[in-house]
Amino acid sequence: MSKAVTKLRVKYQPGHEPDVLIPTSYKNYRFLLGRCGKNPLVCIGMNPSAARDEYSDRTVNKVIKLAYQNGYDGWIMLNIYPQRATNAAIHLSTNVNNRLNFNNLEIIKKYITENKIKEIWGAWGDIDAKRPWLTTVKTQIVQMVQSLGCRIFYFGALTKKYHNPPHPLYLVVDFTKKKYL
C-alpha cells in the first residue's frame, strides 16, 4: 500500500463482503468493487481509497449501509478516476493518466450496459481546483452514463463550493430522499 492510501482497515459486515473486484489483485488503482445483486446501489465516487476484497474503508462502509437501508440488494462502487488516494487533494496525480481514464470509462460502460443499470448515485464531492482535468473526466462519465439511459441522483444537498453531489462521508441527512441531477 502506498503512502497515498490510509492503512486504516475496516472489516466488512458479515454478508456484505464484495464478490466483484476489478482488478482482482491490489494495485494503486481500482475500477470496480462491490457485491452483485438484482438491484444494487451503484455509486460513483471521486477516487478509491483502501477498500478491497479483504477489507473495507469508511466510504465503502457508508455506501453499503445506505444500500441496505434503502432496499437495494447489493452495492457497486465506481469512481470518477481510478487512482487510489485517501486524501485526493494531496495525493491524487496532478495530470490525468489517459490509459487509466480510458479503461475506467470502458469498465463503467460495460457494467452499466451488461447489468441494465437505470440510475446511479453521484457521490464524488467537490473537485480540487488544482486538478482541473478531473472536471473533464467527470463530464465524460456523466455524459456517458446519461447517454446509456441512466439518471444520476444524490442524497442531501449539492455542495456549496462547486455544486457537486456530496461525498458519502459528509452526508447528515435523511438518506431516503434522493434528488436527480
Side-chain angles (χ1 to χ4, degrees):
M1 197 173 307
S2 74
K3 292 180 182 180
V5 179
T6 182
K7 296 193 183 339
L8 177 67
R9 296 180 180 194
V10 182
K11 290 185 177 184
Y12 287 102
Q13 292 183 12
H16 300 302
E17 302 89 347
D19 57 11
V20 60
L21 174 65
I22 301 173
T24 56
S25 61
Y26 185 85
K27 306 276 187 216
N28 66 351
Y29 56 90
R30 185 189 76 223
F31 299 110
L32 187 147
L33 174 71
R35 185 166 186 87
C36 296
K38 291 181 181 175
N39 181 35
L41 174 61
V42 180
C43 178
I44 296 180
M46 171 67 74
N47 65 289
S49 183
R52 55 190 285 185
D53 57 339
E54 300 167 351
Y55 51 87
S56 188
D57 60 31
R58 291 178 32 216
T59 299
V60 169
N61 273 0
K62 188 101 173 226
V63 170
I64 294 168
K65 179 180 179 180
L66 290 175
Y68 294 103
Q69 279 181 345
N70 285 280
Y72 295 93
D73 64 355
W75 58 274
I76 299 293
M77 190 75 218
L78 304 166
N79 290 282
I80 294 294
Y81 194 65
Q83 180 189 344
R84 290 181 185 270
T86 299
N87 185 337
I90 296 172
H91 296 293
L92 200 59
S93 296
T94 54
N95 296 304
V96 66
N97 176 317
N98 289 322
R99 181 185 57 80
L100 276 180
N101 185 48
F102 177 81
N103 290 342
N104 193 46
L105 285 164
E106 289 298 306
I107 288 167
I108 292 170
K109 182 178 182 179
K110 182 178 179 183
Y111 181 82
I112 290 170
T113 303
E114 287 181 357
N115 294 282
K116 299 178 175 83
I117 302 301
K118 295 297 176 199
E119 67 175 15
I120 292 177
W121 172 20
W124 49 82
D126 282 329
I127 293 174
D128 183 3
K130 295 176 187 170
R131 292 166 182 80
W133 58 268
L134 276 171
T135 299
T136 302
V137 170
K138 176 197 75 169
T139 301
Q140 290 172 338
I141 288 176
V142 168
Q143 289 175 345
M144 179 191 63
V145 164
Q146 291 173 333
S147 76
L148 295 171
C150 279
R151 293 174 61 181
I152 300 173
F153 71 89
Y154 60 96
F155 292 108
L158 294 174
T159 64
K160 291 178 185 176
K161 193 172 182 184
Y162 294 108
H163 310 292
N164 286 303
H167 188 282
L169 291 180
Y170 307 117
L171 289 173
V172 289
V173 297
D174 176 1
F175 299 116
T176 59
K177 295 181 181 173
K178 58 187 177 184
K179 302 161 195 89
Y180 288 91
L181 288 179

